Amino acid sequence: MTEDRKGGKGSISSLKTRPLERNIAMTMLGLGAGGKIAAHSIANLFRDESTRERADRDFYKRQAEILADELGKLKGSVMKAGQMMSLYGQYFLPEEAVDVLSSLQDDTPPVAWHVVLPVLERGIGRDRLRELDVDEKPLAAASLGQAHRARRRRDGQELVIKIQYPGVADAIESDIRTLSRLLMMTRLAPKGLDLEPVFNEVREMLHREVDYETERHFTQTFAEKLRDDPRFVVPRVFGEYCSDRVLTTSFEHGNHVRDDAVQRLPQARRNALSAAFVEVFLKEFFRWHMVQSDPHFGNYRIRPDADGQDRIVLLDFGATRVFGRGFVESYADIVRGAIERDREAILRGGIDIGLMKAGFPKSVLDTFVQLCETIVEPFGDAAHMPERLRNDKGEYLWGASDLPMRAGRMAASNALSVHFKVPPREIVFLHRRLAGVFIMLATLHGELNARDMLLKYLKEE
């Protein structure tokens, strides 16, 4: 890997694409981890309890940093699986490891142009490629592919070409097997925990995300569904420049949500953007039963308008998940019950989708009910909102809220954590998206009570 001129991570000049190469790289990492584990365990024999706890935290962080760095170099499915471990891992990995693995979401080096160019040439053909001027410096780099800006010569149409890294689709099965062994060798996963369901889900997700034809379908589906809503922009697909490894769409300009141009918008306009973010999520889940489940800020752009008609650009539909009607209806029971303080409805929905079991201790069920009622705080009435989180209109102050931390402490500090280890996969991805909505509204410093909006969509179920 080269270094850029600022001393940061430069581009990767070659990829280990063969299973044997990738297995050797990760096996060497695992063997190195084994020696460090032995040394750490011996040192712990001579430490008191408080010193041992601090040493364990430092050790987990170092192990996770080594793992994250190697996964970032390998790219492909092991890196994406590492990202997923940061998502699932909140239920079973040390907090320090989750924090480090989360960095894989956006701190990854791009791949050199000569590595991805053959994929593009094979995907759309050299004749089609000659129609375009492609910027060899990537616009964005991810675990499974990277995006390059381009311009069509005949009409100046601005494009974005998403190119899949060579060999990643073929390496998924081998990568998953190796990574599962590696997690155990680095002692990041608890002994005795069955991670097979987690890796099965990661495997399925990876096969879905390297399927650019399905991503193309979802991009066009979202564009159609939001066609008449002026608040949203979905890129147009250019099929003549697409293949199973290449996806080309229109380039859609916009600002990052943290840019000054967005942060300085008047409160009313930021509230309108906040309401749009909430409503599109509610539409996705309750009406369309399909959710774009990867909500990091790179997948959204804000397009401020001089007339105040600001728009949200929605990008990257490769992580779209489809939910069955039964799951949506049961989840609606939980949400409806939480808003109305209906314990039986909450438990009925929780049991139906596998979050709870009827035979759990009453203390666990009580905590689950309390947790659900807490989570819907922004959607409740003013009487159930902390006074410090309401403005004089009774609207929820998303930017001032510490709700995620309060909910996390509640789940971790009682019997719920013993029984509620790794939730059903639908919940993991749905809550990932829901957390993204909360973070987006907090970043916009939205002031919004979304109760009526939520009730509107609940009535449709």
Side-chain angles (χ1 to χ4, degrees):
M1 182 170 67
T2 63
E3 294 291 317
D4 65 24
R5 282 172 294 186
K6 295 181 180 179
K9 292 184 179 180
S11 62
I12 299 174
S13 58
S14 65
L15 285 176
K16 297 181 176 72
T17 57
R18 295 184 179 87
L20 179 60
E21 289 181 301
R22 298 169 73 80
N23 285 345
I24 289 174
M26 287 192 285
T27 298
M28 293 301 292
L29 175 61
L31 290 173
K36 293 182 179 69
I37 290 167
H40 175 73
S41 300
I42 293 171
N44 263 352
L45 295 175
F46 302 96
R47 295 179 176 128
D48 59 35
E49 185 174 348
S50 62
T51 306
R52 187 182 305 123
E53 182 179 346
R54 186 169 58 253
D56 281 343
R57 286 200 302 269
D58 292 342
F59 174 75
Y60 288 137
K61 183 179 181 181
R62 287 195 303 273
Q63 290 290 82
E65 285 171 345
I66 294 168
L67 178 61
D69 185 60
E70 188 63 30
L71 297 187
K73 293 174 185 176
L74 288 173
K75 291 284 191 181
S77 49
V78 285
M79 179 179 162
K80 190 69 178 184
Q83 293 178 1
M84 294 309 303
M85 285 299 103
S86 74
L87 178 62
Y88 275 107
Q90 60 187 304
Y91 301 103
F92 59 82
L93 289 179
E95 181 180 352
E96 294 77 15
V98 174
D99 289 343
V100 172
L101 290 175
S102 295
S103 71
L104 284 168
Q105 301 289 340
D106 50 26
D107 183 24
T108 58
V111 169
W113 174 244
H114 74 268
V115 177
V116 296
L117 176 59
V119 179
L120 180 58
E121 289 178 332
R122 287 193 300 270
I124 68 173
R126 292 185 177 180
D127 289 342
R128 284 291 189 191
L129 184 56
R130 279 192 287 269
E131 297 176 8
L132 309 174
D133 287 320
V134 184
D135 187 347
E136 296 182 5
K137 182 179 179 181
L139 188 64
S143 53
L144 302 175
Q146 62 193 36
H148 290 257
R149 194 166 176 177
R151 183 183 62 83
R152 188 161 58 184
R153 291 174 176 172
R154 71 170 183 264
D155 59 4
Q157 172 68 51
E158 296 288 338
L159 304 170
V160 173
I161 305 176
K162 183 176 178 180
I163 309 170
Q164 192 172 118
Y165 295 133
V168 298
D170 299 328
I172 288 175
E173 295 301 324
S174 174
D175 281 354
I176 290 294
R177 287 193 299 270
T178 305
L179 184 60
S180 64
R181 293 195 299 269
L182 190 58
L183 264 184
M184 294 304 175
M185 293 175 73
T186 53
R187 294 273 183 93
L188 290 176
K191 288 183 179 179
L193 179 64
D194 181 14
L195 289 180
E196 189 62 25
V198 173
F199 280 108
N200 284 341
E201 169 61 20
V202 173
R203 180 183 291 108
E204 180 184 327
M205 179 273 301
L206 287 169
H207 281 294
R208 197 163 50 240
E209 290 207 23
V210 297
D211 183 356
Y212 281 11
E213 291 175 349
T214 297
E215 182 176 347
R216 172 182 173 180
H217 162 74
F218 280 123
T219 304
Q220 293 170 318
T221 300
F222 271 80
E224 177 63 24
K225 289 184 177 297
L226 292 169
R227 180 183 57 185
D228 298 324
D229 193 329
R231 298 173 298 174
F232 300 99
V233 176
V234 178
R236 171 188 167 196
V237 173
F238 287 78
E240 65 268 37
Y241 304 116
C242 293
S243 73
D244 60 344
R245 298 290 185 266
V246 177
L247 177 64
T248 301
T249 64
S250 57
F251 172 79
E252 301 293 345
H253 70 88
N255 298 85
H256 193 283
V257 68
R258 291 198 177 101
D259 286 354
D260 285 345
V262 177
Q263 292 293 308
R264 291 178 180 173
L265 289 174
Q267 185 67 54
R269 289 169 65 177
R270 284 184 282 113
N271 289 350
L273 288 168
S274 298
F277 271 108
V278 173
E279 186 167 10
V280 76
F281 166 71
L282 296 176
K283 278 185 178 179
E284 287 178 32
F285 183 63
F286 290 112
R287 184 176 292 176
W288 304 336
H289 299 179
M290 63 177 193
V291 171
Q292 196 284 67
S293 66
D294 189 2
H296 70 79
F297 282 177
N299 287 342
Y300 303 98
R301 290 289 182 268
I302 307 298
R303 189 179 293 176
D305 184 87
D307 296 329
Q309 301 298 314
D310 307 313
R311 308 183 78 185
I312 300 170
V313 181
L314 306 177
L315 304 170
D316 195 343
F317 298 90
T320 300
R321 292 194 64 87
V322 176
F323 293 85
R325 172 167 288 279
F327 177 86
V328 176
E329 290 175 348
S330 296
Y331 195 87
D333 279 343
I334 297 175
V335 176
R336 190 181 295 108
I339 290 178
E340 298 173 355
R341 296 301 196 262
D342 183 342
R343 172 188 169 87
E344 296 308 314
I346 295 173
L347 292 178
R348 181 173 64 249
I351 291 169
D352 284 347
I353 61 179
L355 276 173
M356 291 286 106
K357 293 182 180 179
F360 278 0
K362 183 177 181 298
S363 60
V364 174
L365 299 178
D366 287 346
T367 299
F368 177 69
V369 170
Q370 183 184 3
L371 179 61
C372 292
E373 292 175 347
T374 300
I375 289 173
V376 300
E377 174 182 280
F379 300 92
D381 53 37
H384 293 107
M385 291 182 192
E387 187 174 351
R388 61 185 174 81
L389 296 180
R390 304 194 310 261
N391 63 15
D392 55 8
K393 299 177 183 177
E395 296 167 326
Y396 195 74
L397 303 177
W398 294 77
S401 178
D402 60 348
L403 177 60
M405 287 182 289
R406 281 187 282 127
R409 286 196 301 265
M410 185 182 300
S413 64
N414 49 61
L416 180 62
S417 60
V418 176
H419 296 269
F420 186 27
K421 287 295 185 184
V422 181
R425 61 187 186 177
E426 294 90 349
I427 288 292
V428 173
F429 285 94
L430 179 62
H431 285 186
R432 180 191 193 191
R433 175 75 159 86
L434 188 55
V437 173
F438 192 102
I439 294 169
M440 181 63 72
L441 267 63
T443 305
L444 287 168
H445 297 279
E447 298 181 7
L448 175 74
N449 189 335
R451 177 185 176 86
D452 291 342
M453 194 186 305
L454 174 59
L455 290 176
K456 168 188 170 184
Y457 287 95
L458 286 175
K459 287 177 182 177
E460 296 181 2
E461 286 304 313

